[in-house]
């Protein structure tokens, strides 16, 4: 391990605003980097090169099950995703074979017919939201556009009007705090999200419909059905992935096109670029800088570095997606980029289950925004646009524009 230090502290204020210089340094000098996590001062490792991240995400010697495989120090911090809630045994956390069963049953609800109907739903919601933005004249892209779309789409897909979206966003931010003093609130935040999901499931049991929650309640695969707790955990996972994460994704994509007017003009002129553009937005600045913690189930030696059993590893997909060994000119937004096999949706068994929905929202909402408002103007200085301080979620705090 090198004795040098990256240009700014991992997960510090400077890092949260622009982590990419830190990632470049780590890829060059310490690609499997030992450090002390700021919450609890626990030893961890960060992996930043594309080939290493991809390989280790598919390596069964690493687990997402923190309670089972994490060190005592790691588990004392409550850093396992969903800690203290039903999400601890949810699809995002458990390993095979439990994960295999959950995913098989759940994906039966994501039928081609249902996904096809989402396109019409998203298009209608996007147009309604654009009309509302036009009436305001000056908007916050995060609250008035991206946030409205993500919450309304999520509500319709799950089959219930989600009026507590602000509460959901607040609890999501509490799940990944930047301030170590707030770590004690994490279990309550995950539990609140599960309570929120339980309300949805209870309502759909009483009033089933043609929606994803009802499909999960009714779904079977090979005679297997999800338990009530598993359905609640699944709906909670979808709410987590389809709420503030989509809001963050749309906000960053719109900011990227404001920063790159030539790429914006390409997309507006050629709607067929939308699917490729979404992949490039995710590669360039994804809503999560890392996947969930992976725990070494045994001593693992990779790239000349031995990671001890029980240690937590951060597979940094944001760093991998800017690796010049994999992507030409990786710090440039290029909607025409070819062979764009980024890791923004994850890799291995825990790849993003909601990728189809996220792609659709990006393909429809981002180009539509610039078609409706070709002469929009950023309010204030670009340097004043700030990202929230979070060790995992990368989201702009606000983005004020005048829609002309």
């Amino acid at each position: 391990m090198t004795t040098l230090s990256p240009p700014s502290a991992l997960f510090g204020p400077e890092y949260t605003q622009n982590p990419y210089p830190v990632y470049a340094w780590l890829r060059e000098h310490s690609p499997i980097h030992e450090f002390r996590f700021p919450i609890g001062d626990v030893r961890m490792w960060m992996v930043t090169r594309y080939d290493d991240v991809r390989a280790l995400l598919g390596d069964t010697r690493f687990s997402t099950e923190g309670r089972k495989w994490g060190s005592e120090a790691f588990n004392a911090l409550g850093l396992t995703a969903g800690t203290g809630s039903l999400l601890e045994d949810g699809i995002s956390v458990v390993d095979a074979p439990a994960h295999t069963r959950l995913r098989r049953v759940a994906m039966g609800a994501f039928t081609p017919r249902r996904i096809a109907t989402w396109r019409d739903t998203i298009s209608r919601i996007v147009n309604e939201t654009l009309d509302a933005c036009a009436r305001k004249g000056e908007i916050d892209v995060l609250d008035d556009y991206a946030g409205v779309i993500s919450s309304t789409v999520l509500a319709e897909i799950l089959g219930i009007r989600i009026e507590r979206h602000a509460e959901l966003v607040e609890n999501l931010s509490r799940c990944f705090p930047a301030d170590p003093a707030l770590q004690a609130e994490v279990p309550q935040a995950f539990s609140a999200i599960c309570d929120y999901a339980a309300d949805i499931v209870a309502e759909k049991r009483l009033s089933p419909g043609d929606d994803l929650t009802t499909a999960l309640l009714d779904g079977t695969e090979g005679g297997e059905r999800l338990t009530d707790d598993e359905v609640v955990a699944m709906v909670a996972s979808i709410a987590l992935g389809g709420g503030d994460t989509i809001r963050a994704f749309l906000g960053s994509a719109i900011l990227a096109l404001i920063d790159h007017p030539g790429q914006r003009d390409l997309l507006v002129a050629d709607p067929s670029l939308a699917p490729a553009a979404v992949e490039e937005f995710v590669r360039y600045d994804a809503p999560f800088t890392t996947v969930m913690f992976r725990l070494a189930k045994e001593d693992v030696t990779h790239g000349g570095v031995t990671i001890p059993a029980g240690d937590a590893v951060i597979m940094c997909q944001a760093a991998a997606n800017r690796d010049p060994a994999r992507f030409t000119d990786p710090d440039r937004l290029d909607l025409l980029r070819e062979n764009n096999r980024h890791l923004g949706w994850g890799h291995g068994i825990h790849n993003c289950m909601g990728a189809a929905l996220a792609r659709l929202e990006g393909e429809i909402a981002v180009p539509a925004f610039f078609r409706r408002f070709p002469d929009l103007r950023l309010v204030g200085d670009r340097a004043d646009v700030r990202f929230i301080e979070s060790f995992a979620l990368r989201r702009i705090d606000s983005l004020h524009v005048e829609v002309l």
Side-chain angles (χ1 to χ4, degrees):
M1 182 184 69
T2 180
T3 58
L4 300 175
S5 299
S8 62
L10 285 173
F11 311 114
E14 185 178 346
Y15 167 94
T16 57
Q17 297 312 308
N18 183 13
Y20 296 106
V22 174
Y23 297 155
W25 188 94
L26 290 172
R27 286 192 305 263
E28 177 69 22
H29 299 286
S30 186
I32 302 177
H33 182 69
E34 180 183 343
F35 70 101
R36 309 297 295 190
F37 195 66
I39 299 174
D41 194 37
V42 175
R43 181 182 64 193
M44 291 190 186
W45 305 80
M46 179 177 277
V47 183
T48 50
R49 289 180 179 171
Y50 180 94
D51 287 345
D52 292 333
V53 172
R54 192 175 190 277
L56 295 186
L57 282 176
D59 192 327
T60 57
R61 294 175 296 175
F62 292 94
S63 171
T64 51
E65 295 186 8
R67 287 177 303 171
K68 183 175 181 179
W69 299 106
S71 67
E72 183 178 347
F74 175 83
N75 280 315
L77 298 176
L79 290 174
T80 297
T83 184
S85 75
L86 291 175
L87 283 166
E88 271 189 322
D89 296 310
I91 191 169
S92 298
V93 176
V94 296
D95 295 331
H99 177 274
T100 307
R101 171 186 164 271
L102 288 173
R103 192 172 185 105
R104 184 174 64 246
V105 178
M107 291 309 292
F110 289 79
T111 63
R113 183 195 65 80
R114 178 165 287 110
I115 293 173
T117 66
W118 291 350
R119 181 175 292 278
D120 292 338
T121 298
I122 294 167
S123 295
R124 172 176 52 79
I125 291 168
V126 164
N127 287 330
E128 292 170 353
T129 308
L130 287 169
D131 291 342
C133 289
R135 289 191 292 270
K136 290 185 176 183
E138 181 179 320
I139 65 167
D140 178 356
V141 171
L142 272 293
D143 286 344
D144 298 316
Y145 189 65
V148 172
I149 290 169
S150 61
S151 61
T152 309
V153 169
L154 184 64
E156 295 212 13
I157 284 173
L158 290 175
I160 187 171
R161 177 61 58 185
I162 299 184
E163 298 172 350
R164 292 157 54 191
H165 180 252
E167 175 189 347
L168 177 66
V169 171
E170 178 185 353
N171 282 315
L172 178 58
S173 66
R174 290 169 60 211
C175 292
F176 306 101
D179 184 350
L182 300 177
Q183 184 60 31
E185 298 181 11
V186 169
Q188 294 94 324
F190 278 119
S191 293
I193 292 167
C194 286
D195 290 343
Y196 181 79
D199 290 345
I200 299 172
V201 172
E203 178 162 331
K204 299 318 294 184
R205 278 210 177 277
L206 292 174
S207 303
D210 186 16
D211 53 71
L212 192 55
T213 304
T214 300
L216 290 169
L217 284 166
D218 294 342
T220 60
E221 180 69 24
E224 294 186 87
R225 185 184 296 272
L226 297 176
T227 68
D228 283 357
D229 282 353
E230 288 170 343
V231 175
V232 169
M234 195 73 69
V235 172
S237 295
I238 293 168
L240 284 166
D244 207 33
T245 306
I246 298 295
R247 179 178 176 228
F249 163 53
L250 296 178
S252 291
I254 288 171
L255 178 63
L257 290 181
I258 290 174
D259 287 342
H260 299 82
Q263 296 296 300
R264 176 199 64 204
D265 293 344
L266 278 176
L267 180 59
V268 171
D270 185 358
S272 71
L273 287 178
V278 165
E279 301 307 322
E280 179 65 352
F281 296 143
V282 174
R283 183 204 68 82
Y284 181 75
D285 208 6
F288 280 102
T289 57
T290 75
V291 298
M292 290 190 307
F293 294 107
R294 297 298 196 266
L295 292 307
K297 295 160 66 174
E298 59 188 74
D299 291 353
V300 177
T301 299
H302 183 91
V305 175
T306 298
I307 299 171
D311 274 15
V313 182
I314 293 175
M315 311 293 188
C316 190
Q317 61 203 61
N321 287 340
R322 298 249 190 141
D323 188 344
R326 177 62 183 81
F327 300 99
T328 302
D329 199 4
D331 293 323
R332 179 171 62 90
L333 183 75
D334 181 6
L335 304 190
L336 301 178
R337 187 177 298 277
E338 297 180 354
N339 193 24
N340 192 1
R341 299 192 60 170
H342 60 79
L343 300 175
W345 307 116
H347 177 70
I349 66 170
H350 287 289
N351 59 46
C352 180
M353 187 175 67
L357 175 59
R359 285 183 168 112
L360 275 177
E361 292 190 70
E363 288 175 20
I364 296 168
V366 177
F369 186 76
F370 289 99
R371 284 196 300 268
R372 177 68 70 93
F373 306 123
D375 300 315
L376 66 84
R377 183 179 65 84
L378 188 65
V379 176
D381 294 331
R382 172 62 178 84
D384 292 335
V385 177
R386 307 292 291 174
F387 286 81
I388 64 170
E389 293 189 1
S390 170
F391 72 81
L393 183 66
R394 181 161 171 80
R395 175 173 64 74
I396 303 165
D397 182 52
S398 63
L399 181 61
H400 291 273
V401 299
E402 190 175 284
V403 290
L404 306 173

